């Protein structure tokens, strides 16, 4: 190992770090999935997150010391990606952890040793920080390590005191900074100066517990949590100006540049920013998809979709017109596969997801353009405002919530290439009032449809309009506030009251696989989340027992129902959830007073359990049938197992055919009839995987796992409850098959006792329809088809009559045609004519008068005005275009619109102004044509 390395690759830095701590009795553990166990966050956002239960004292660690290179995703400051030297969405955190073993002195010594003796940093290039009140850490750095006092900076709680939340484990931090300019001396050192300093190593001394009053008490077991940023270390050791130019990212940037035909180093800052965004985001994307995340409009899928769309958008900004994400992903996969082999193993899935999302987003941009045209033509979306140059700031996105917020907002990037949008008339309306597209409409396009604000502004300008950027920013700020409400923090107190009791009560022993009832002790009672010593009849409560037969919601299966009873006490249990290792029973006290310490009997509802078991096993059989009949590569993307039905989401790029759905259903029922007995085993995880057991989506597994095996049919890792023999299911019926997201399909089905409920409901509906239509059940399809045909014919007849009425009304206008020079004009109002019929009437009149212009107006319904202009080619040669003309006229009625030079349509909302608008049209036509 070199004491003064000249150059280290990112992979070498990672391996050196892990080897250093492995030699010091740390167990090297693999990176956890980006899908965390912690329900308070959607993604793994820190190296310590997988160890949360250990830090809480809820899980006994298998090792006293551990070291990891943990992949992480953070998107709360996504707008800084590509704009600063070191902001990323995806990053790797190198960490060493002590669980009640060594503490400050050893952690500081090793941090200094690996920095100076292993990575070769000169002590003159290092500055450290400590919490302002942490004299112990200050003394270790000064007296044992020998750091000059001038290079030890005391910082406040905001910078150097780590907390998990309002309550819970916490402690002071100490950080190591690299000084790029030690020649500037030690006077007035400002660690906020990121042109001189970069923090690369953070040591958290988890030594206190904070209660609700803010009081700190020492933890019985003190822990060490450290983090060294791999990207930052690579920047320092590879001597490049920012993280993006290290070997961890720069090859991705080069690939994107080659596709776009641009060179990074010779590009302007805007192009460099887009290349950096692509390089950063594509790393995040490949790892998210490799960890079974699929793009959608909710949760993690929302984060993934937004990142992919930002990649595509920035590709367009640097001139990439076609699909390119899979090419860039190839480079990212090659860079990551040595440390994370699953990205290569999942290469096909990664590329398929990227291709689908990129293709869909390109279509989304096209849809956005059409929607914008509709907004411009919709009068209510246009706001009058005296024209003035916009001084509103460009929108700024200060965070991405890790939860559902509709749409895919993206920071405005100026300087995008001008894009000609087809189908939108170009017009410039002169005059004093300048009109605006409302901020709400602009934000809806931006947020819901991913349509960039700058494109909205470009198109609006072509229409002589502005965008209400101030209103847009107000809507954006509302979203930012929602983002802050969901800020990414690691909350170690999900159930704060329970966590406070963690050191005093037993974790719940689950005996429900074999026993439907148990005698148990009441360990805790919570009312509205607050611990109580007792609760009376009528109270909604959450109860923790020392043991329980109740299955807690997990793996898609809902919690059991039943009763908890004792001496004069009855509690109806409606749901059970698992928080860490505690089973929380949600229910209502129906009789008596319940007290902590009471001995009670916990009894599940056997009928509900049987239904859940049947549906859960049916889900396993369903997945096996899909793999056999549709595609072996199908994998689960979510599930729900309840008492009355089951739902199974799976990855599949296409809809199943009716024949495939029938074959899947028949296969499941065949396995049910064959009476396959269940074989349940607890095996080492590696052995279970080697046997071919299928893992449940989103589940986390320990070293030993529970395997549910129906030999020759299905074998899965699962903690749920199941039938002992497939014959117990009885029968299986698929209710529906449909798409729920891009590349994700959903099957809903029923099985077992729930089949009778389903059949009874269907029978009731059929009988009701038969009575209403006065036909036999088997005649219903023909009767409904006949009614649909009659309805369609009636609608066609109605439309024909509307057109005929409009034509009849318009024919009477021929005699009003007025000659203006060599042309004829007709300007008139028709009563109660819908826009489409008005358009037909205008075209017919123009055909009859030949060379000329026709402008017709109507009020088809209250608060709605329709105006149509039809011009002959000779009129066009006079410089009049129907689109521009009718758009200007419609503004008199508080609207707008446009279209082709020879035919255009506009709308308005003020019917009282229609006569004025038509008078203005007649005046302008006479002036232009005379």
């Amino acid at each position: 190992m070199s004491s003064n390395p000249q150059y280290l690759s990112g992979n070498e830095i990672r391996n050196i770090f892990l080897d250093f701590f492995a030699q010091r009795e740390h167990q090297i553990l693999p990176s956890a999935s980006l899908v965390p166990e912690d329900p308070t966050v959607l993604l793994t956002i820190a190296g310590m997150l997988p160890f949360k239960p250990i830090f809480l004292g809820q899980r006994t660690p298998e090792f006293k010391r551990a070291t990891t290179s943990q992949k992480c995703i953070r998107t709360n400051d996504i707008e800084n990606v590509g704009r600063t030297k070191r902001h990323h969405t995806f990053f790797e955190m190198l960490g060493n952890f002590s669980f009640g073993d060594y503490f400050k002195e050893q952690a500081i010594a090793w941090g200094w040793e690996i920095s100076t003796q292993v990575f070769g940093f000169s002590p003159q290039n290092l500055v450290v920080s400590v919490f302002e009140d942490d004299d112990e850490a200050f003394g270790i750095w000064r007296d044992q390590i020998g750091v000059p006092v001038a290079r030890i900076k005391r910082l406040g709680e905001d910078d150097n005191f780590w907390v998990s939340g309002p309550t819970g484990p916490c402690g002071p931090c100490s950080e190591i900074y690299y000084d790029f300019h030690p020649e500037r001396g030690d006077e007035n050192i400002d660690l906020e100066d990121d042109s001189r300093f970069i923090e690369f190593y953070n040591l958290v001394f988890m030594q206190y517990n904070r209660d609700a009053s803010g009081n700190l008490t020492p933890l019985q077991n003190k822990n060490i949590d450290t983090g060294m940023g791999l990207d930052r270390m690579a920047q320092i050791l590879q001597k490049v100006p920012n993280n993006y130019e290290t070997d961890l990212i720069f090859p991705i940037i080069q690939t994107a540049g080659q596709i776009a035909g641009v060179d990074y180093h010779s590009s302007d800052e805007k192009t460099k920013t887009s290349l950096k965004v692509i390089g950063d985001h594509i790393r995040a994307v490949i790892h998210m998809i490799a960890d079974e995340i699929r793009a959608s409009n909710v949760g993690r899928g929302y984060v993934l979709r937004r990142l992919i769309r930002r990649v595509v958008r920035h590709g367009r900004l640097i001139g990439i017109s076609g699909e390119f994400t899979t090419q860039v992903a190839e480079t990212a996969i090659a860079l990551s596969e040595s440390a994370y082999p699953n990205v290569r193993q999942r290469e096909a899935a990664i590329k398929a997801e990227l291709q689908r999302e990129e293709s869909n987003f390109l279509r989304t941009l096209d849809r956005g353009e059409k929607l914008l045209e509709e907004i411009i033509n919709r009068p209510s979306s246009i706001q009058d405002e005296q024209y003035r140059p916009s001084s509103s700031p460009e929108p700024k996105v200060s965070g991405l919530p890790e939860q559902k917020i509709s749409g895919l907002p993206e920071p405005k990037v100026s300087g995008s290439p001008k894009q000609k949008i087809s189908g939108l008339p170009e017009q410039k309306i002169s005059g004093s009032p300048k009109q605006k597209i409302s901020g709400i409409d602009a934000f809806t396009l931006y947020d819901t449809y991913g349509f960039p604000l700058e494109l909205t502004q470009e198109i609006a300008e072509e229409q002589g309009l502005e965008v209400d950027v101030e209103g847009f920013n107000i809507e954006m700020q509302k979203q930012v506030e929602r983002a802050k409400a969901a800020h990414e923090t690691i909350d170690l107190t999900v159930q704060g009251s329970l966590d406070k009791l963690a050191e005093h009560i037993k974790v719940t022993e689950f005996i429900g696989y074999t026993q439907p009832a148990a005698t148990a002790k009441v360990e805790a009672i919570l009312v509205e989340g607050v611990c109580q010593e007792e609760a009376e009849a009528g109270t909604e409560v959450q109860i923790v027992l020392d043991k329980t037969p109740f299955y807690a919601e997990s793996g898609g299966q809902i919690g059991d129902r039943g009763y908890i009873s004792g001496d004069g006490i009855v509690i109806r249990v409606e749901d059970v959830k698992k928080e860490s290792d505690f089973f929380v029973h949600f229910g209502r006290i129906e009789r008596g007073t319940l007290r902590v310490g009471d001995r009670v009997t916990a009894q599940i509802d056997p009928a509900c359990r049987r239904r859940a078991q049947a549906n859960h096993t049916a889900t396993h059989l369903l997945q096996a049938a899909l793999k056999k009949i549709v595609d072996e590569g199908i994998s689960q993307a979510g599930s729900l197992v309840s008492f009355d039905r089951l739902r199974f989401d799976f990855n599949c790029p296409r809809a199943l055919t009716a024949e495939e759905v029938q074959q899947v259903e028949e296969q499941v029922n065949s396995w049910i009839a064959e009476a396959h007995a269940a074989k349940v085993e607890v095996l080492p995880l590696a052995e279970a995987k080697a046997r071919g057991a299928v893992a449940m989506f989103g589940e986390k597994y320990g070293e030993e796992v529970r395997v549910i095996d129906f030999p020759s049919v299905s074998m899965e890792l699962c903690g749920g409850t199941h039938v002992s023999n497939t014959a117990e299911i009885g029968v299986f019926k698929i209710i529906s098959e449909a798409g729920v997201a891009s590349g994700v399909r959903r099957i809903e089905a029923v099985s077992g006792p729930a089949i009778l409920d389903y059949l009874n409901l269907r029978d009731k509906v059929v009988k009701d329809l038969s009575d209403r239509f006065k036909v036999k059940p088997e005649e219903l399809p023909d009767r409904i088809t006949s009614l649909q045909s009659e309805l369609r014919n009636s609608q066609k007849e109605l439309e024909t009559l509307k057109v005929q009425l409009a034509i009849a009304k318009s024919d009477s206008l021929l005699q009003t045609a007025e000659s203006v020079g060599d042309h004829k004009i007709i300007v008139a109002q028709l009563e109660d004519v819908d826009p489409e019929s008005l358009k037909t009437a205008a075209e017919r009149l123009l055909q009859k008068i030949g060379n000329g212009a026709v402008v017709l107006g109507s009020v088809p319904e209250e608060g709605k005005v329709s105006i149509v202009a039809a011009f002959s080619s000779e009129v066009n040669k006079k410089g009049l275009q129907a689109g521009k003309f009718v758009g200007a006229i419609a503004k008199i009625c508080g609207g707008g619109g446009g279209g082709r030079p020879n035919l255009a349509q506009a709308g308005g909302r003020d019917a009282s102004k229609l006569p004025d608008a038509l008078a203005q049209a007649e005046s302008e036509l006479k002036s232009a044509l005379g």
Side-chain angles (χ1 to χ4, degrees), residues 241-294:
N242 57 69
N243 290 4
Y244 294 93
E245 295 182 40
T246 69
D247 71 331
L248 294 167
I249 304 180
F250 195 64
I252 307 173
I253 290 174
Q254 287 179 307
T255 299
Q258 290 167 3
I259 297 170
V262 298
D263 174 66
Y264 172 84
H265 291 294
S266 60
S267 295
D268 59 25
E269 287 304 312
K270 292 173 184 173
T271 300
K272 284 184 177 179
T273 295
S274 288
L275 288 168
K276 290 175 185 176
V277 170
I278 293 170
D280 169 87
H281 287 9
I282 210 71
R283 287 202 307 169
V285 163
I286 66 164
H287 285 285
M288 292 175 76
I289 300 173
D291 282 350
E292 303 285 348
I293 298 172
R294 291 291 177 269

Side-chain angles (χ1 to χ4, degrees), residues 79 83 270 273-274 306 310 313-314 317 390 392-398 408-416 446 451-458 467 469 472-473 476:
E79 80 283 356
R83 302 178 187 275
K270 292 173 184 173
T273 295
S274 288
R306 184 184 185 209
R310 281 175 57 85
R313 177 65 188 138
H314 281 277
L317 288 176
S390 174
S392 299
E394 292 179 350
K396 180 179 181 183
V397 182
S398 64
L408 303 165
E410 178 177 354
K412 180 183 189 310
V413 181
S414 59
S416 59
Y446 190 24
F451 196 71
L453 178 64
E454 65 269 21
L455 278 186
T456 302
Q457 291 173 308
E458 281 185 24
V467 177
V469 179
F472 177 95
N473 286 332
M476 182 69 76

Side-chain angles (χ1 to χ4, degrees), residues 276-331:
K276 290 175 185 176
V277 170
I278 293 170
D280 169 87
H281 287 9
I282 210 71
R283 287 202 307 169
V285 163
I286 66 164
H287 285 285
M288 292 175 76
I289 300 173
D291 282 350
E292 303 285 348
I293 298 172
R294 291 291 177 269
S296 69
N297 283 332
V298 294
R300 302 178 190 100
Y302 167 74
V303 179
L304 175 60
R305 175 163 287 167
R306 184 184 185 209
L307 292 175
I308 295 174
R309 290 189 169 191
R310 281 175 57 85
V311 170
V312 175
R313 177 65 188 138
H314 281 277
R316 285 180 61 144
L317 288 176
I318 61 175
I320 301 176
S321 58
E323 297 181 11
F324 72 99
T325 57
T326 56
Q327 294 173 258
V328 183
E330 287 178 3
T331 302

Side-chain angles (χ1 to χ4, degrees), residues 480-643:
V480 170
E481 294 304 319
R482 292 192 295 265
K484 289 180 179 177
H487 191 271
E488 298 166 311
T489 57
I490 302 171
D491 183 2
L492 298 191
T493 56
V494 182
Q495 291 286 331
S497 298
L498 285 179
D499 291 340
K500 293 175 191 175
L501 296 173
E503 296 182 4
H504 308 292
I505 66 176
K506 291 182 179 179
V507 298
T508 310
E509 177 189 358
F510 176 62
I511 61 170
Y513 290 135
T514 57
Q515 300 179 44
T519 300
K521 175 186 174 185
V522 177
E523 294 280 358
I525 303 170
L526 292 89
V527 179
E528 296 183 350
V530 179
C531 289
Q532 305 288 348
E533 286 300 311
E534 63 180 44
E536 298 179 346
T539 306
E540 301 285 344
V541 292
Q542 299 92 50
I543 303 168
V544 179
L545 306 174
D546 64 343
K547 68 173 64 174
T548 184
F550 285 83
Y551 181 81
E553 181 180 320
S554 180
Q557 181 178 334
I558 66 173
D560 277 326
R561 294 176 183 172
Y563 288 91
I564 295 174
S565 58
D567 186 12
I569 304 166
V570 176
I571 301 105
R572 179 191 295 272
V573 178
E574 295 294 341
D575 194 11
V576 183
K577 297 182 184 295
K578 189 177 181 182
E579 299 293 346
S580 299
D581 291 323
F582 300 109
F583 284 54
V584 183
H585 305 72
F586 292 76
R588 179 183 179 87
I589 301 178
E590 296 189 342
R591 188 168 68 245
T593 298
L594 182 69
R595 296 177 177 84
V596 172
D598 282 351
R599 304 296 295 182
V600 293
T601 298
Q603 169 73 57
I604 66 170
D605 182 329
C608 288
R609 170 67 74 85
R610 283 193 296 271
R611 285 170 170 254
Q613 287 181 163
N615 281 333
H616 204 153
T617 301
T619 303
H620 285 212
L621 301 185
L622 172 59
Q623 179 167 218
L626 287 167
K627 286 177 173 289
K628 177 180 179 181
I629 292 165
V630 181
D631 185 347
E632 180 60 34
I634 278 177
S635 60
Q636 181 181 332
S639 68
L640 171 68
V641 175
S642 64
F643 305 125

